[in-house]
Amino acid sequence: MASTLGSSLGQALGIAGYAAAFGIGTLFLTAGLAKLRSRRVFPGVVANYRLLPPALVGVVATLLPPAEVVIGACLIVGIGPAAIPAAGLLLVFAAAMAVNIRRGRSHIDCGCGRSDLRQTLSGTLVLRNVVLAALLLPTLGQLPSPGSAGWWIGLASGSALYLLTLLVNALAALAKGPLAIERNMR
């Protein structure tokens, strides 16, 4: 009985791990690709955080997008150890946002990769990144085999996580956008 319960828990954690890996991997992949498409303006976004010496801004702006693409692709295909740099980046991003919010600089763009939907810094974004980093913990365990029922469940759940994150981000950005501000001024 105990081994069956342990096995079931292990399978559930594996499915949750792959769901997180797929959903967050897709976020990293799409964010990295968007930053590559906006590579002329991305150094300005990095510089706007005012956390790096000017000599490192270009280096970070050049290396971060391809790193996000590689980390995202690794997570999507189920390479569990990619969760470590992914969680690390999410926590660094959360810390950078928190520092700027504390400095009173919440008006700057988060640089999350969606240049068509500018999103200013907020405690919600900080919390989002911390939660996403925590969701990656089960990814370090045994993930389901590709093509198995658990893998398909993880894929569907990860897709839902990705879409839900996009929806929440879009709603949060729209709530702070020009139309919302104009509506609140009436």
Side-chain angles (χ1 to χ4, degrees), residues 97-118:
M97 287 184 232
V99 165
N100 274 277
I101 291 169
R102 187 168 175 100
R103 290 177 177 171
R105 296 179 36 76
S106 61
H107 64 281
I108 67 172
D109 183 21
C110 71
C112 299
R114 296 289 314 233
S115 59
D116 56 333
L117 190 60
R118 187 176 183 275

Side-chain angles (χ1 to χ4, degrees), residues 7-164:
S7 175
S8 295
L9 180 60
Q11 287 178 328
L13 284 174
I15 293 169
Y18 186 61
F22 186 83
I24 297 167
T26 305
L27 285 171
F28 267 93
L29 182 67
T30 57
L33 291 173
K35 289 171 187 167
L36 286 171
R37 283 191 301 272
S38 302
R39 72 178 132 249
R40 287 193 325 254
V41 297
F42 188 60
V45 173
V46 173
N48 214 12
Y49 272 86
R50 297 183 185 171
L51 295 172
L52 296 172
L56 289 181
V57 168
V59 173
V60 169
T62 300
L63 296 178
L64 183 59
E68 287 181 332
V69 169
V70 169
I71 290 168
C74 287
L75 287 171
I76 289 168
V77 298
I79 299 174
I84 295 169
L89 279 177
L90 287 166
L91 294 174
V92 166
F93 297 156
M97 287 184 232
V99 165
N100 274 277
I101 291 169
R102 187 168 175 100
R103 290 177 177 171
R105 296 179 36 76
S106 61
H107 64 281
I108 67 172
D109 183 21
C110 71
C112 299
R114 296 289 314 233
S115 59
D116 56 333
L117 190 60
R118 187 176 183 275
Q119 194 168 4
T120 57
L121 304 184
S122 69
T124 304
L125 285 176
V126 173
L127 180 61
R128 175 203 67 186
N129 281 9
V130 171
V131 168
L132 290 175
L135 287 175
L136 286 168
L137 287 175
T139 303
L140 298 172
Q142 181 67 38
L143 300 180
S145 301
S148 68
W151 183 84
W152 285 107
I153 294 168
L155 180 71
S157 301
S159 298
L161 173 64
Y162 171 70
L163 293 172
L164 182 63

